[in-house]
Amino acid sequence: MSVDSYLTLPVAALKQAGGYWTAREISQQPQIWRQVTAEHQPRCAALQQFLQPLLATPLLRIILTGAGTSAYIGQALAAHLQQQLQPGQRVEAIATTDLVSNPGLYLDPALPTLLVSYGRSGNSPESVAAVELAEQLVPGCRHLLITCNSQGKLAQFSQQDPERCYLYALPDATHDQSFAMTSSFSSMYLATLLTFAPDNTYLQQLISGAEQLLQHRLAEIKQQAETPCRRMVFLGSGPLQAIAREAALKYLELTSGQILSHYESPLGFRHGPKSLVDAGTQVLVLQSSDAYTSRYDLDLLAELQRDQKALRLDRLSEQQLLGSSSLPDAWLGLLLILWCQALACFKSMQLGISPDNPCPGGQVNRVVQGVTLYPYVKA
């Protein structure tokens, strides 16, 4: 069945504006999440056969790694996944860009390690280098490779030693064609939850909420995007701080750096970053679904309202989107990032920028280029 519009915008207009793929990939996420869930079921037995011996290992260390947007998956989920582990085991989010530049600081040969690698294309230089360094420095390291490209270098690496590697290849449609990662981010994120912390109730609420957002809230998002800001700030606590970070990156990428974006936690914002708020600053608070945590979110929002310096203040909560507060923040983050992706896409087109290719000069690329990798020799 053909689709004549995405994000309420006609396909012809989106193609003319250079936003077809971005709008399509943002819009497809509820459908893609259903597909990821359906395809997860047949792989469960093999995946658990790979994971269960590891999850029974004392002192197991799980490292969630990726670069840029892919790194933020681990940052959002590490604390949530930690709650699923045995005492003495730990989950850490360490970007490939840190692992590659400082492997001796982050890779411990004495600890049994599962490296969970995220990659849209699976071809970024740091993605490949991180798994190779783990192989070099951590004897017997295991690898869970979550990628949107079954033909990429990460996927190829999994074939070298099937006993120690598991390839979690997502549907081809998650391999975003646009510059910025949208459905690839959320699909790898969801695959991680389904693997380590599945909950069908949360999943159904999430998908239903995303469908409702795309059907009924886009006019509100577009109106937010029409605010003539010079700076954009996203604030979130706990897992939602990483979602705020990803939202800020999407906004920066899709506006080609014309509008500076920033992220922080509501409590951390007072410790210096609040200095950037002026009459050209728009702020969006991603409110936690946790009653305790959200008090800090609302306190900061009230303070900014009293200051009367910001151009615009908004908050986004599960209560507003779903009429309830039952989703843990690790699940709620997927719903909030969908809003922020649409916000960035609308803003990009309002500025006359192509969301699909916001940097036509090639200074920043869809798959990172220009990285020189050096052999690591421990001093």
Side-chain angles (χ1 to χ4, degrees), residues 7-29:
L7 301 181
T8 71
L9 300 172
V11 164
L14 286 168
K15 289 182 176 179
Q16 185 175 7
Y20 170 75
W21 284 110
T22 306
R24 173 176 169 169
E25 287 156 2
I26 292 171
S27 301
Q28 74 180 5
Q29 287 174 102

Side-chain angles (χ1 to χ4, degrees), residues 260-280:
L260 297 180
S261 58
H262 186 80
Y263 79 96
E264 245 300 351
S265 68
L267 281 176
F269 196 54
R270 293 187 181 92
H271 291 260
K274 189 183 168 194
S275 303
L276 64 78
V277 177
D278 63 12

